[in-house]
Amino acid sequence: MQSFQPPRRILMGPGPSDVSPRVLAALARPTIGHLDPAFQGLMEEIKAALSRLFNAPDHICVPLPAPGTAGMEAALMNLLEPGDLAVICVNGVFGTRMVDMAGRAGAEVVTVDDEWGTPVDPAKVEAALAGRQAKVLAFVHAETSTGVRSDAASLCALARKYGALSIVDCVTSLGGIAVDAAAWDADVVYSGTQKCLSAPPGLSPVAFSKRAVASIAARKEKPRNWLYDIGLLMSYWGGEGGRTYHHTAPINALYGLHESLVALFEEGQQAAFVRHARMHESLVAGLEALGLEMLVAPEHRLPQLNTVKIPEGIDEAAVRNHVLEHWNLEIGAGLGPLKGKVWRIGLMGASASPWHVRLCLTALAEALAVQGFAGAKDKALAAADAKLAA
């Protein structure tokens, strides 16, 4: 057995994204104990930074020791008990995952279904909530499988109107577009570190409102997931009156998250949003000049996750293999009903730069040309550069 030396990839798929050298360097700092006073100071800084990032001053904000799926599981398993009613919006893979988890929690589930590639329809959600006593309304803000953004403010307002607690999946949105738990009046918001935060996978930042915490405290039985039981977890993360051992925190991963948050606040959140939007506009201009089409209508597109229709007659897997083999570039395939129909191109965090846009367009043009697709690379690059210069 020998040391593993990973290839140097350029990550422009649906996640993870490229990790900056400064975050990689932070990961290599000396490991200390998870109850060390110095580490406890770091924990408090991370909590405050997540509160700022989520705009959740009245929520408890902590990073769970697992990827974004842990945030989903923590939200559903803490809020739902057997017999509760959950209304869950499904317009992609991660809505279907919510349905599965809610069922495992023993809840009765009502789904609100929309076509993949379109946002959640608030009118359908209101129809599902009206006349029912739903405990939870859950939806995906930024659907990673389709590249669609749904209107979180409107959907959370409907949850309030009908007395439900809102759960918002922000795994792909946090750090790339505005996430505003306070303005939305959202109850549980969760994300992951490997998308627009450009830290390695393995942590799930979450925010729980006072309403959500009160609901958890009033449960008739314990949550079915021990590790993510918020009451137990906060005995360690809460900090008031001393911390109680709950789990061994992933020390170095938290160093990486902290450094990624430092970098994001140095850039400025609004500046980061503008950067993601500009790179998206540049990439789309180049793709369209190359002769490709986008799946999602412009007004509903995520700047950080771009779904591109595969031209007729093109072997999509061969294109992905070509750019990986010849350019060390990773882009993503379609999932579910979009499998074989789209590519998913990420412009997330450190991977949202003019260099990434130009490289992606160049690599795609070459891979398509191998299959006889008549796109013009120079035209694509000129269109992308024109957007950046505007």
Side-chain angles (χ1 to χ4, degrees), residues 216-235:
I216 295 165
R219 290 177 63 100
K220 298 173 185 175
E221 62 178 58
K222 297 177 182 179
R224 294 189 174 185
N225 188 310
W226 188 91
L227 181 59
Y228 305 130
D229 179 328
I230 291 300
L232 296 177
L233 191 75
M234 291 311 294
S235 67

Side-chain angles (χ1 to χ4, degrees), residues 85-344:
L85 175 64
V87 174
I88 299 181
C89 306
V90 179
N91 65 332
V93 163
F94 296 95
T96 64
R97 190 170 292 183
M98 285 179 164
V99 171
D100 188 5
M101 288 188 187
R104 291 170 186 244
E108 176 190 347
V109 178
V110 173
T111 63
V112 177
D113 297 294
D114 284 288
E115 183 179 354
W116 289 34
T118 66
V120 173
D121 183 344
K124 290 183 181 179
V125 172
E126 182 155 25
L129 289 169
R132 292 186 171 99
Q133 291 186 325
K135 174 78 172 292
V136 159
L137 170 67
F139 63 92
V140 179
H141 179 221
E143 179 52 75
T144 315
S145 62
T146 64
V148 168
R149 173 184 356 201
S150 291
D151 185 350
S154 295
L155 296 172
C156 288
L158 287 172
R160 292 277 66 75
K161 179 178 178 180
Y162 291 99
L165 296 166
S166 54
I167 296 175
V168 191
D169 182 315
C170 295
V171 170
T172 295
S173 47
L174 189 67
I177 56 176
V179 171
D180 198 331
W184 299 344
D185 200 13
D187 288 299
V188 184
V189 183
Y190 62 86
S191 189
T193 50
Q194 75 276 18
K195 308 277 188 172
C196 296
L197 299 185
S198 275
L203 294 171
S204 178
V206 298
F208 280 74
S209 72
K210 292 179 179 178
R211 279 189 305 261
V213 172
S215 176
I216 295 165
R219 290 177 63 100
K220 298 173 185 175
E221 62 178 58
K222 297 177 182 179
R224 294 189 174 185
N225 188 310
W226 188 91
L227 181 59
Y228 305 130
D229 179 328
I230 291 300
L232 296 177
L233 191 75
M234 291 311 294
S235 67
Y236 174 57
W237 272 95
E240 295 80 14
R243 289 185 163 86
T244 302
Y245 169 71
H246 174 261
H247 68 282
T248 302
I251 310 295
N252 293 63
L254 289 164
Y255 296 167
L257 170 59
H258 183 272
E259 190 66 25
S260 76
L261 294 170
V262 170
L264 177 59
F265 293 139
E266 283 178 357
E267 179 181 8
Q269 292 184 71
Q270 192 59 43
F273 300 157
V274 170
R275 172 169 57 86
H276 282 84
R278 291 186 68 238
M279 296 311 110
H280 163 74
E281 291 168 0
S282 175
L283 178 66
V284 170
L287 291 170
E288 290 179 343
L290 196 58
L292 300 173
E293 297 179 22
M294 307 300 291
L295 174 73
V296 179
E299 64 272 24
H300 302 308
R301 290 174 188 163
L302 291 171
Q304 62 270 51
L305 199 289
N306 300 267
T307 41
V308 185
K309 293 182 180 179
I310 295 163
E312 187 174 350
I314 294 295
D315 182 338
E316 71 86 15
V319 169
R320 287 187 291 109
N321 290 338
H322 182 97
V323 299
L324 187 67
E325 179 181 348
H326 295 276
W327 293 87
N328 279 321
L329 172 65
E330 177 187 284
I331 62 174
L335 300 175
L338 295 179
K339 184 177 181 180
K341 297 180 181 179
V342 299
W343 294 299
R344 292 180 297 153

Side-chain angles (χ1 to χ4, degrees), residues 69-92:
T69 303
M72 180 187 292
E73 186 159 325
L76 292 163
M77 292 300 178
N78 276 278
L79 294 189
L80 291 174
E81 295 189 74
D84 285 341
L85 175 64
V87 174
I88 299 181
C89 306
V90 179
N91 65 332

